[in-house]
């Protein structure tokens, strides 16, 4: 298998004050929930960055990303025709379950959920929680039954947290967001729930042991054994 | 010919994967032919299985990174049972990297590893991430001497002592380890370093300090390798921030017989393949037949 591949940026679109979507030319069809290590630099910064697959159609692949630091700032400046180095697909994605399904995303955590919604048979309800600016909602519409939205300042949908809208009435649920949100989801859902976790990564392939998560089965690598874990497996004691 | 001689064995080239950055090789196998490597040093082993450190383990710095893995490993016996058979099938030079917190653990580990087919034992007295863990022995010469002397009778395999750049005096440390029976030295391990999260007003790492590696340490590591090469006449395996073939040539000119690549494997899992090719090309262009011709030419 090839390690880092140089791919062409097709589009790099700004969606909100700090959210971007980058589309690259790549014929992969990864599993929903899998991720890639991206690198648009050499020397400084040093490490590649992990990003979830947001969309894929067999010809191109999209990443939804938030500009938060050195690496994503460089990414935000890229234009169509530029090249980016990419390793993947990596990790284990979401197992696709049948029946009534809920998808819960917070902020940039909605990144892997669109591609998941597209791949589920459904019916799918999505719950999207944002701080102030809601985004990406139109993209979900064709693939889901219902969309529930919340913003912390009340500018769109329910004022507060999206977990306040969530009911425990599904055959399976999937969540991605910060750890506090996922903990709130876990407290609400007793049934089958899959969480996509984050961790600081160096290698992305299971070699450095930098990304471990405490689980019922011991220490597992978020990059190789995850990033998707069944909620019952995850021990939240660091949070 | 990129081959080198290390303790009487021929390595295909001087490029060895550094401990803790290459697992036991498995993860890299799908990206490259591991038999092309000069060698692989295993993840740091300890007598007892270790879960490693809690909290954030990785932090990026300018041109490098800090880590606080804390020697997460399956134990010496776990390694021998689960991982070593795979490594021995790779047709490359295998180093078992051994850490520890007590003399007894080091001795037991060395004795067990001596009974296996590993090519060499790399004694890690330099891990900064475990409280009792090794580095305590790598700071002062007397502590290092006691460990090396204690384990030496328990193995006939090449015994390489991995030095810490945090040693009080790297030349004295190298001399002491050689006198105590080391067959070779590898240097450097990571630099003990600090990062602070200014918003939480706390250190980034639970352990407060962590080990710095990557390109940012290369010039200091290179200086230390030359210092040591001018002090002892046993083989030196140089490492610290190597990312390209040019870096390797520098380390050889500073006195290394072989080199190791660590953090750069995270930047590019096939970087060592590229480095080996680069060395080959350089030797051809410069008319170098044997790397011995340029080893240690920086006096
Ligand atoms: C499996 C996985 C999937 C991810 N998917 C997405 C995604 O689809 N969209 C998106 O916007 N973000 C995603 N992230 C988070 C993303 O990797 C970070 O936002 C990004 O690394 C920040 O890089 P930076 O250089 O801009 O920030 P800096 O703060 O300058 O980064 C410094 C270092 O910290 C690491 N880091 C910083 N924030 C995070 C974080 N939240 N998680 C892990 N490492 C971090 C960086 O990788 C880098 O090593 C994902 C993380 C993981 C682990
Ligand atoms: C994530 C990580 C884990 C490491 N684990 C070990 C270890 O288990 N044993 C050891 O002797 N050195 C360990 N090291 C140190 C490296 O082998 C090497 O000495 C150091 O990183 C400097 O080389 P580099 O700059 O090429 O990475 C580790 C380094 C890193 C970055
Ligand atoms: S990022 Fe290296 S093991 Fe997961």
């Amino acid at each position: 298998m090839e390690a880092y591949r140089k791919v062409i940026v097709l589009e790099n679109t700004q969606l909100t004050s700090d959210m971007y979507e980058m589309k690259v030319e790549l014929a992969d069809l990864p599993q929903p929930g899998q991720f890639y290590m991206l690198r648009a630099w050499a020397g400084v910064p040093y490490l590649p960055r992990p990003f979830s697959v947001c969309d894929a159609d067999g010809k191109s692949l999209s990443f939804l990303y938030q500009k938060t630091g050195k690496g994503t700032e460089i990414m935000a400046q890229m234009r169509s025709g530029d090249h980016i180095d990419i390793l993947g697909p990596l990790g284990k994605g979401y197992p696709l379950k049948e029946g009534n399904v809920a998808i819960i995303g917070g902020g940039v955590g909605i990144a892997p959920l669109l591609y998941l919604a597209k791949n589920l048979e459904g019916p799918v309800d999505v719950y999207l929680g944002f701080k102030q600016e809601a985004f990406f909602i139109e993209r979900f519409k064709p693939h889901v039954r219902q969309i529930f939205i919340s913003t912390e300042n009340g500018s769109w949908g329910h004022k507060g947290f999206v977990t306040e809208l969530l009911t425990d009435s599904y055959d399976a649920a999937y969540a991605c967001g910060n750890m506090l949100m996922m903990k709130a989801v876990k407290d609400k859902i007793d049934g089958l729930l899959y969480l996509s976790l984050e961790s600081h990564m160096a290698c992305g392939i299971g070699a450095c042991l930098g990304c471990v998560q405490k689980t019922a089965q011991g220490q597992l690598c978020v990059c190789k054994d995850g990033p998707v874990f069944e909620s019952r497996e995850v021990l939240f004691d660091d949070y | 010919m990129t081959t080198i001689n290390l303790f009487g064995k021929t390595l295909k080239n001087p490029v060895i994967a550094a401990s803790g950055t290459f697992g036991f090789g498995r993860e890299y196998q799908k990206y490259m032919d591991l038999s092309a490597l000069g060698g692989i040093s295993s993840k740091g082993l300890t007598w007892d299985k270790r879960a490693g450190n809690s909290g954030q383990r990785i932090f990026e710095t300018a041109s490098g990174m800090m880590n606080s893995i804390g020697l997460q490993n399956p134990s010496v016996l776990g390694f021998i049972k689960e991982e070593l058979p795979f490594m021995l099938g790779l047709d490359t030079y295998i180093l078992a990297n051994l850490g520890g917190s007590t003399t007894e653990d080091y001795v037991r580990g060395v004795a067990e590893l001596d009974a296996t087919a590993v090519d060499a034992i790399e004694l890690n007295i330099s891990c900064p991430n475990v409280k009792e863990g090794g580095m305590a022995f790598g700071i002062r010469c007397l502590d290092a001497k006691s460990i090396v002397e204690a384990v030496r009778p328990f193995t006939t395999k090449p015994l390489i002592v991995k030095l810490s750049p945090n040693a009080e005096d790297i030349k004295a440390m190298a001399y002491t380890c050689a006198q105590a029976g080391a067959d070779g030295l590898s240097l450097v391990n990571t630099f003990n370093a600090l990062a602070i999260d200014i918003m939480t007003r706390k250190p980034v790492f639970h352990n407060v300090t962590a080990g710095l590696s990557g390109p940012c340490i290369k010039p200091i590591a290179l200086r230390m390798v030359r210092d040591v090469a001018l002090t002892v006449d046993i083989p030196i395996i140089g490492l610290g921030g190597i990312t390209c073939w040019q870096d390797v040539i520098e380390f050889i000119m500073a006195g290394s017989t072989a080199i190791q690549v660590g953090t750069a494997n995270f930047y590019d899992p096939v970087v060592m393949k590229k480095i080996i090719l680069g060395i080959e090309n350089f030797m051809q262009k410069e008319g170098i037949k044997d790397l011995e011709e340029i080893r240690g030419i920086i006096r």
Side-chain angles (χ1 to χ4, degrees), chain B residues 7 174-175 178-179 182-185 228-236 255 257 295:
Chain B
F7 312 119
Y175 181 80
Q179 289 296 307
D183 298 304
L185 300 172
V228 168
L230 295 177
T231 307
V232 298
D233 50 16
I234 53 177
I236 293 167
T257 297
R295 180 167 65 84

Side-chain angles (χ1 to χ4, degrees), chain A residues 173-189:
Chain A
Y174 302 87
C176 182
N178 65 48
M179 276 307 227
L180 287 175
M181 187 208 97
M182 290 205 279
K183 211 175 162 190
V185 173
K186 187 183 170 172
D187 288 342
K188 203 110 186 209
I189 303 260

